[in-house]
Amino acid sequence: MLRVSDVWERALHTPASAVARSGEVIVIRSGGYDGKQGLSLATGVSSRSAGAQALCLHLVTIPPGTRGVPHVHEGHESAIYTVSGETEVWHGEGLMQRTVVRAGDFMYVPPGIPHLPVNRSDVMTVAVVARTDPQEQESVVTMSLPPHLAELHDFPVATP
């Protein structure tokens, strides 16, 4: 099993802060929080951390044998790059479609498309997520698991 480095562990469990400003450039020392979608997020760029007006960028981790919460980002696009691991993503109306993304894959989620990540592997999934929501969590709308995915109730939510 992949162990997340101590640097990443600290980034996931300390508050984000802007530490340097050089002209128009802001450097953010990443900080973490648990998102509504049931995942640990390390904040990079957002309206809160950098004054961003049209995007956010953060790191997401999904521990082995866990899942997120079905959710949708109302009115916002998401772009995801998987750094490590493998994630099963249920998506679309009723979460009827299943796609597997692996390290090195990019994934685009259009605005308003429901999705649910599941890590069935024994390796930590780490992904970089960019979204057109500078507020990070305000557009997240959680949903219930549909009946055809009832077996996923046995998978703990990554961050309850």
Side-chain angles (χ1 to χ4, degrees), residues 90-102:
W90 291 90
H91 56 92
E93 187 174 336
L95 299 175
M96 296 300 287
Q97 299 174 43
R98 179 185 174 273
T99 300
V100 175
V101 294
R102 295 175 178 87

Side-chain angles (χ1 to χ4, degrees), residues 10 23 32 36 57 67 73-74 80 88 119 141 150 153 159:
R10 282 192 306 276
K36 293 180 196 174
L57 176 70
R67 66 175 174 88
H73 301 276
E74 290 293 338
I80 303 163
E88 171 182 287
N119 183 351
V141 178
H153 282 294
T159 57

